[in-house]
Each structure stands twice: as C-alpha cells, then as structure tokens.
Amino acid sequence: MPHMTAFARNQWYVAAYSHEVGRELLGRTILGETLVLYRTEEDGTPVVLHDRCVHRRYPLSEAPTRLDGDRIVCGYHGFTYDTTGTCVYVPGQKRVPRTARVASYPVVEQDSLIWVWIGDPALADPQTIPRARHLDSPGWVTVRGMEPIDCDYGLLVDNLLDLSHETYLHGGYIGTPEVAETPITTEVDEGAGIVRVSRHMDDADCPPFYAKSTGIEGRITRWQDIEYHAPCLYLLHSRIAPVGVLPEPDGSDPNGFHTEITYAITPSGDGKVYDFWAVSRDWATDDAEVTEFLRGNNHTVVMQDVTALNLLQKTLGTERTGYQELSINIDTGGLAARRILARLVEEGDKPLEKVQ
C-alpha cells in the first residue's frame, strides 16, 4: 500500500459549494465520515448530519429518503430526524429510544463554501476558517467545479505546492518553460499552518490560458504567489502583465491582470480526495466568452492532474517497501506542508493561530 497521509480531524474542511446544497439531500464523505447535507426550509441554514440511519444503516442521502419540512424521513423504515440529529419518530411505537440519534456536525457557510468540522464539536471555532473572499465578492467572476481523485490527499497538496509541473503536465494550457526554470522562494508560518511559495518570472512566454483570455500578445511578467492554509485551503494569487509593465509604487496595478486560483483539498477517505477548484477574475467580468474559455481550459488542466495523480497513487501501491523519494529545491513548500499536516494530526486538539 502507498503511504497514506493521516487526517487532522479537529480542522475545518470544505464539504461543498454553497450552490450544491439545497432542499435535495446531498451525500459526501469526509475523513471517512459519511455525511448528508441540506438546507432548512425557513432560512436556508445548511445542516450536516451523519448519513446512516441508526436502525439499519440506510443512507439518509439516498432515495426514497426525503425531507418533511426540516426533518429527514428515512426511506427504508421511516425513522425521522430533526436538524440536531435527534430521532423524533419511529414506526409502530410511541416511545423513541434514547439512543436513536445521528451525529450532527458544526457547519459554517462563508465565501460561497460550506465548511464542516468532523472532530470534537467543542473545539470548532469559526474564526479559524481561512478566507477566500474573492469567491463571492462584487466585481469578481468565478468559474468552479469539483473532481474526486483516487489518490491520497497529500499527493494533491504536493502537486499544487510545486507548480514546476505546469511546464510538463500542462504545456499548451498554463505551462511554459520559464515556470520550471525559475527558482522559488518559500516562507513557512508554522503556528498559523501557512506555507507561502512564490515564483516571479520577469520575462516569460504567455501561455494560451492567459493569451486567449486577456488578449496580451508577446512576452509577459508572470507572478505566482501561493498561500496554502493547512489542511484544506490553497490560494494562488496570479499576476500577468506585458513585459516591463510594473505595478505602481502604491501597489496598484492598472495594467496587470490578476486572477485568483482557489483549491479546497478535502480528504474523502484513505486514498480519496475531493479536488474543489475555482478561477476568479476581476477583469473582463461581463465577457461570457472569457468565462466559458476559462471554465473549459481550467477543467482540462484539472483533469490532467486527476489522471496523473490517479496513476501516481496506483504506482506508489506497487513500490517495494523502503523505496526512497528524491526531493530537490522545488519541493521545499510541499515538504513544509507535509510537516505541518503531520503536526496537526499529532497535536490533535491544539488550534491553529488565527490569521487576520
């Protein structure tokens, strides 16, 4: 078996996008826990319960299970649960057994993401959830999707923290030779569980992903500034501009194109991960063609990662015991992330420092 990255349970994870959760029951599995998600009728608050009826373990996210108001009625024998997971009705008798309840999980809806806490509910502090405000801020347009991958979530973290693979895996989309050739700088904030990896290219080819969407011709300056908030949220602040066009001294950048690339890396189970991806922009916001181009192009790039990581997971499963990885400078960010993830598992109930 390939090495599996252990799960830090007392952390927030993205379970869904806001638009996925409604009055239809939605099933997801996070850290091996099966969940059912829905919204209340009156104010649309998201509810997350364990997805197995206490009676015969029928999945509450599957038909003919249904909502009756805000209560879930199990489609097998009619056991009925309220939003706290308490069973309020069983068939054929008045008395409901005291043990008839399913777990209910802390949930926060923020930045068009539904965050869920799988660990000890007493430790769930919504203030520690990292922000991705661009996902639903006015003036920003976002395309998004989610792909399940049959790989250890640590492999996806590795993949996203080392963008030099763009040159080889994503050539013709977002990769150009300069990405792999340009050295990186890495900063690690152990207490807050944040890894920053920056790659600034002063004179680079403009990849088709940006050339076709921005209309820039010729060579560009290209900045990739990654901010990974362990364990789940990955932000890539991307800037491109024609060569020689630098931001103003006050930091404003009227001639540059800023794109926010967001990933939520949510372990589903051992060797399974949900890859939530989003591309947000504050330029050409009313151009539907650009929107569709970015959606299709980025989906292709994500699927190239999915194919590579599915293959890598299978390959690692056939390795002999004690094989040695070789790591180089480009792996500094990924290795720091592995260290932080291991510490979050080890320390368990120690919260991350809040980031303003």
Side-chain angles (χ1 to χ4, degrees):
M1 276 294 288
H3 167 74
M4 291 292 177
T5 310
F7 303 142
R9 292 183 69 81
N10 287 315
Q11 299 292 333
W12 292 98
Y13 292 93
V14 172
Y17 290 118
S18 288
H19 75 262
E20 294 183 283
V21 180
R23 296 291 291 165
E24 298 280 317
L25 298 168
L26 174 70
R28 286 274 147 90
T29 301
I30 297 182
L31 312 193
E33 298 287 329
T34 53
L35 311 177
V36 57
L37 297 86
Y38 66 96
R39 288 186 189 275
T40 59
E41 206 165 32
E42 197 178 331
D43 61 2
T45 307
V47 177
V48 182
L49 301 177
H50 189 59
D51 187 27
R52 296 288 182 267
C53 179
V54 290
H55 177 232
R56 290 293 179 263
R57 316 303 294 163
Y58 192 82
L60 298 175
S61 60
E62 297 287 343
T65 299
R66 61 183 173 83
L67 285 172
D68 175 11
D70 290 340
R71 295 172 169 186
I72 285 194
V73 182
C74 177
Y76 195 14
H77 297 95
F79 277 60
T80 302
Y81 303 89
D82 67 15
T83 56
T84 69
T86 304
C87 184
V88 292
Y89 168 83
V90 298
Q93 62 185 62
K94 287 273 187 286
R95 192 183 69 79
V96 177
R98 265 202 323 272
T99 55
R101 60 181 308 118
V102 295
S104 128
Y105 300 85
V107 56
V108 171
E109 183 168 16
Q110 180 174 283
D111 304 328
S112 79
L113 301 171
I114 306 284
W115 292 86
V116 173
W117 182 276
I118 300 296
D120 178 352
L123 299 173
D125 177 2
Q127 295 298 311
T128 60
I129 299 175
R131 300 303 304 253
R133 290 179 174 87
H134 50 271
L135 289 178
D136 65 356
S137 284
W140 288 84
V141 172
T142 298
V143 294
R144 62 184 90 206
M146 188 276 280
E147 296 298 332
I149 312 181
D150 290 325
C151 80
D152 174 48
Y153 82 100
L155 293 183
L156 181 56
V157 175
D158 272 356
N159 171 281
L160 292 171
L161 279 167
D162 171 20
L163 294 181
S164 66
H165 79 274
E166 288 183 354
T167 300
Y168 302 96
L169 193 61
H170 306 309
Y173 292 90
I174 55 176
T176 65
E178 293 82 11
V179 183
E181 288 163 8
T182 305
I184 56 165
T185 59
T186 307
E187 282 174 46
V188 184
D189 182 336
E190 296 279 352
I194 299 175
V195 180
R196 292 183 173 88
V197 179
S198 292
R199 180 183 269 110
H200 289 179
M201 295 158 265
D202 293 331
D203 184 351
D205 262 348
C206 189
F209 184 83
Y210 286 119
K212 290 184 181 155
S213 56
T214 65
I216 287 182
E217 291 171 5
R219 294 178 71 79
I220 56 169
T221 55
R222 183 180 185 187
W223 296 354
Q224 295 176 323
D225 294 300
I226 296 167
E227 206 180 302
Y228 169 58
H229 296 254
C232 188
L233 188 71
Y234 170 100
L235 306 170
L236 167 58
H237 314 297
S238 165
R239 174 203 184 263
I240 68 156
V243 162
V245 175
L246 293 171
E248 302 292 330
D250 66 359
S252 65
D253 198 358
N255 299 304
F257 291 84
H258 290 258
T259 309
E260 294 288 339
I261 318 280
T262 309
Y263 283 87
I265 303 162
T266 300
S268 174
D270 281 337
K272 289 184 179 301
V273 61
Y274 294 123
D275 179 357
F276 292 90
W277 59 268
V279 179
S280 310
R281 71 185 194 280
D282 62 357
W283 43 272
T285 52
D286 51 0
D287 191 326
E289 239 176 283
V290 170
T291 299
E292 287 316 305
F293 173 77
L294 292 179
R295 186 197 312 280
N297 220 266
N298 206 69
H299 179 252
T300 301
V301 166
V302 169
M303 292 312 294
Q304 289 171 334
D305 279 338
V306 171
T307 302
L309 292 172
N310 282 341
L311 176 60
L312 187 55
Q313 183 77 17
K314 273 190 194 153
T315 307
L316 291 173
T318 64
E319 286 282 7
R320 67 185 188 285
T321 311
Y323 72 90
Q324 282 297 308
E325 268 188 335
L326 172 69
S327 293
I328 57 172
N329 288 345
I330 58 172
D331 302 306
T332 315
L335 295 173
R338 289 184 192 183
R339 199 169 62 240
I340 288 169
L341 290 171
R343 179 175 60 78
L344 295 184
V345 172
E346 205 177 303
E347 295 183 351
D349 55 1
K350 189 178 171 195
L352 287 164
E353 291 167 14
K354 293 173 194 173
V355 182
Q356 296 313 313

